[in-house]
Amino acid sequence: MNIGFGCIWLKNRKRTRSHTVYSLFKSLQELDDANVYDLDASLNGSELFFHKLSNIIVYQGKLKSKYNFSKRYLKSSEGKLLQKIQKIKNIDVIIETADIGVIKEIPFYLFQDLSIDVLIKHFQEYNHSVPGWEIFNLDDLYKRKEWQMRVYNQCAGVFAESKWLADSLVEDSGISPEKVHVVDLGINIKPELAYHSFGEKGKQEKTIFFVGRDFFRKGGHLVVEAFKLLRKNYSKNVKLIIAGPKSWPLTGRIPEGVQYIGDASWENIRKYFQTRDVFCMPSYFEGGYAIVFAEALCFGI
């Protein structure tokens, strides 16, 4: 079988959608009876810069861009995808990550971790945007939904990353249940590496571990504040280790008892999982579900 894999890759491909997309792509390439073609729909530097520049807004005193919700950007990405398809013959089926665009004459499936209807439903219920999508108002969401529904209606099926999202696609987006398939995610750390001796037994200092590049959406600031109270009111014999953001995300100095390890590698994350006592990540919102909780469970914390 010849499989086309459509994706808007980040510059560091492994980071695209928290490693999930890259892992899926590499896994498909390992299939014995399949040829997998990379249908990279990413726009080049100058073209991407134009889209970002033409959709700039000021949000809370900072320049932000709504480019990835603009129809012009969506059409450009769809066009890039179709160009790649035309250069390759005999593709049997295509898997798109997210909803890049409509493909005619070749059956295409979507791999989804979130739908616009989920964002709209949250906005209507709480009267504010989902954390991580603060710059988009309700009108932006409805306009973006038009594009997504166009793709939903013409795709052969949708692979949802969780049962929760699959239910929403049927109930909120109106997709036929026959078109929705649940594909639960696995961990990024290889299972054989997840077995360990559960750290140093009997050590006096207890440690809490937080992982999250999207620090504020993952509730990292709440963890730091709670940790300060823990040390002040209960015990100073506790340590908080924070991984994820490239630089310290809060104002002021790093609090006493906090070890900041930044954008750590998976190998380093694995080592910290092996020796910590508690994993804590009170996320405000997850699209499918946070893989890191499954990883923490694999390490028994």
Side-chain angles (χ1 to χ4, degrees):
M1 176 179 285
N2 296 320
I3 302 173
F5 191 86
C7 182
I8 298 176
W9 296 103
L10 296 180
K11 189 174 182 180
N12 182 345
R13 288 192 165 207
K14 291 183 178 180
R15 294 285 174 83
T16 305
R17 294 180 178 266
S18 300
H19 293 73
T20 300
V21 171
Y22 183 78
S23 297
L24 174 60
F25 178 63
K26 299 303 289 186
S27 296
L28 289 172
Q29 287 184 320
E30 293 176 3
L31 294 175
D32 294 331
D33 55 352
N35 298 312
V36 181
Y37 297 94
D38 182 9
L39 305 177
D40 183 4
S42 309
L43 303 184
N44 61 37
S46 59
E47 191 175 8
L48 182 59
F49 178 76
F50 166 77
H51 288 292
K52 289 184 176 181
L53 187 63
S54 58
N55 290 279
I56 280 182
I57 63 166
V58 177
Y59 177 79
Q60 295 184 348
K62 296 181 179 180
L63 292 177
K64 301 286 185 178
S65 180
K66 294 183 176 182
Y67 76 97
N68 53 344
F69 268 38
S70 75
K71 199 166 186 179
R72 182 177 293 182
Y73 168 78
L74 294 169
K75 284 186 175 181
S76 295
S77 300
E78 181 184 56
K80 186 73 172 290
L81 177 66
L82 296 177
Q83 288 175 11
K84 290 294 181 71
I85 294 171
Q86 290 174 356
K87 294 179 180 179
I88 303 171
K89 297 180 180 179
N90 302 320
I91 294 181
D92 300 306
V93 65
I94 291 172
I95 297 175
E96 283 186 36
T97 57
D99 47 6
I100 304 172
V102 172
I103 302 166
K104 298 180 180 179
E105 299 179 357
I106 302 174
F108 71 99
Y109 292 79
L110 308 180
F111 183 68
Q112 294 269 276
D113 63 351
L114 185 63
S115 73
I116 300 300
D117 274 309
V118 169
L119 302 181
I120 291 174
K121 190 173 183 179
H122 184 283
F123 199 112
Q124 292 173 332
E125 184 172 353
Y126 298 103
N127 199 32
H128 64 76
S129 299
V130 168
W133 285 265
E134 291 90 349
I135 66 174
F136 301 108
N137 57 39
L138 198 54
D139 186 52
D140 294 327
L141 297 178
Y142 276 116
K143 289 179 179 178
R144 180 63 177 82
K145 178 183 175 179
E146 291 178 7
W147 178 275
Q148 188 170 76
M149 292 306 301
R150 167 179 170 265
V151 182
Y152 279 171
N153 290 334
Q154 298 188 59
C155 70
V158 181
F159 298 120
E161 292 186 6
S162 67
K163 178 67 164 55
W164 170 81
L165 177 60
D167 291 342
S168 175
L169 290 171
V170 174
E171 296 168 9
D172 303 321
S173 302
I175 302 178
S176 171
E178 291 76 21
K179 288 179 65 172
V180 181
H181 314 277
V182 179
V183 181
D184 293 309
L185 300 183
I187 61 176
N188 287 303
I189 302 172
K190 292 184 179 180
E192 62 266 28
L193 299 179
Y195 299 101
H196 60 93
S197 59
F198 295 95
E200 306 165 32
K201 296 299 181 183
K203 66 181 188 301
Q204 290 187 345
E205 185 182 62
K206 300 300 180 182
T207 54
I208 302 167
F209 193 29
F210 169 89
V211 180
R213 290 191 180 91
D214 196 345
F215 184 79
F216 293 97
R217 179 169 66 85
K218 301 288 186 178
H221 55 300
L222 301 178
V223 177
V224 173
E225 289 304 310
F227 178 74
K228 290 178 183 178
L229 294 175
L230 179 64
R231 282 180 62 92
K232 177 181 178 182
N233 299 326
Y234 296 95
S235 173
K236 290 187 179 297
N237 199 25
V238 63
K239 184 178 183 179
L240 171 62
I241 299 172
I242 293 178
K246 293 182 178 180
S247 58
W248 179 246
L250 300 173
T251 57
R253 299 174 61 182
I254 298 176
E256 183 179 353
V258 175
Q259 180 183 350
Y260 166 68
I261 62 174
D263 189 7
S265 67
W266 285 118
E267 179 61 23
N268 282 335
I269 294 294
R270 182 178 72 85
K271 291 178 180 178
Y272 280 101
F273 266 136
Q274 288 178 332
T275 55
R276 302 311 103 189
D277 298 293
V278 172
F279 178 75
C280 182
M281 193 199 77
S283 180
Y284 282 96
F285 181 84
E286 297 291 336
Y289 59 85
I291 300 173
V292 70
F293 288 123
E295 291 170 339
L297 287 169
C298 285
F299 287 93
I301 65 171

